Amino acid sequence: MKKYLLLVEDERLWEKFKQGTTRDINTEIIELIRKKIEGAKKNEK
């Protein structure tokens, strides 16, 4: 598995993200990355 590093400088934004998660943080981050990749693929076409 590849490692990644997420840096969030805005503490309020980080707290909002954590409160909005229903699963563990790693799963949420991976899902966000997948959505971003899918969005980029759709924009290329």
Side-chain angles (χ1 to χ4, degrees), residues 4-23:
Y4 54 87
L5 175 63
L6 177 66
L7 296 175
V8 179
E9 294 180 0
D10 186 340
E11 290 292 327
R12 287 179 286 175
L13 180 63
W14 178 246
E15 285 301 320
K16 184 177 177 183
F17 175 77
K18 288 194 311 185
Q19 289 174 357
T21 60
T22 55
R23 299 172 284 187

Side-chain angles (χ1 to χ4, degrees), residues 27-40:
T27 303
E28 293 288 342
I29 292 170
I30 291 171
E31 187 65 29
L32 287 172
I33 293 169
R34 282 188 183 135
K35 287 179 183 177
K36 182 74 172 177
I37 291 170
E38 289 173 1

